[in-house]
Amino acid sequence: MSLFDLTEEYTRLLNQGIRLSGEDQTFFIQGRLRDLVRSLAGREPRRILDFGCGLGLTAFFLSQFFPKAEILGVDTAANAIGFAQSNYGSSRIGFQTLERFSECDAFDLAYCNGVFHHIPPADRLSAATLVRRALAPGGYFALFENNPWNPGARMVMARIPFDRDAITLSPRELVRLLRAAGFEVAQSPRSLFYYPKPLALLRFTEPWLAPLPFGAQYYALAQK
């Protein structure tokens, strides 16, 4: 069953888990994108692939953080794509189902969050290879995942029905996967989201903690 067979339930179920942090979905989307913009160091992608775009909210924020880019969101769930197109589609943001997606050498940046832990381990290499094929030479793949080494991340996933049985990837496993798919790892994994809202005064330290593999999420930046 797709995560989005009950589209209207997805956000409620997600928030059921992440409210432990005291924050909402938007906080985490913006946090990921702020760090990614810093990692790209002024590079301005023209076309961005949102791989596993779900209901389309991240595609909307990608268009805000990268105002010169066109965004294409793809997902396996047709009802999620329909919702995304109705709510976030525009002249710069489009969506299509993964089965219709066939572009090669077309994107400067691919973004993916929280998707690979739902892909069976035997199929992850083919998914990463598909993303690499879609990127233009020199294009970047920003792959974000929940950190199995973080107790808070495990608690949140246990509270979300569609995440309870997911098979997480450690940062080391993620790097091995990207290299096996033919990517060069352009930046070592960075950890994000160390402190819940009650400890927000300590968040100014998070940029210094990013190289340590203990935040609630982490990501690697790879290059074709």
Side-chain angles (χ1 to χ4, degrees), residues 48-54 62 72-76 98 101 110-116 119 126-128 130-131 134 141 143:
I48 300 175
L49 174 66
D50 184 1
F51 185 76
C53 64
L62 281 164
L72 177 65
V74 298
D75 201 280
T76 58
L98 187 60
F101 180 72
Y111 171 99
C112 179
N113 171 61
V115 171
F116 274 70
I119 299 174
S126 62
L130 185 156
V131 173
F141 184 18
L143 179 50

Side-chain angles (χ1 to χ4, degrees), residues 113-114 117 144-148 153 157 163 168-170 215-218:
N113 171 61
H117 64 249
F144 293 78
E145 270 297 331
N146 298 344
N147 188 356
M157 292 182 73
D163 269 342
T168 54
L169 303 85
S170 72
Q217 283 201 304
Y218 71 92

Side-chain angles (χ1 to χ4, degrees), residues 1-7 77 79:
M1 179 180 291
S2 165
L3 298 183
F4 299 101
D5 286 341
L6 296 174
T7 301
N79 55 345

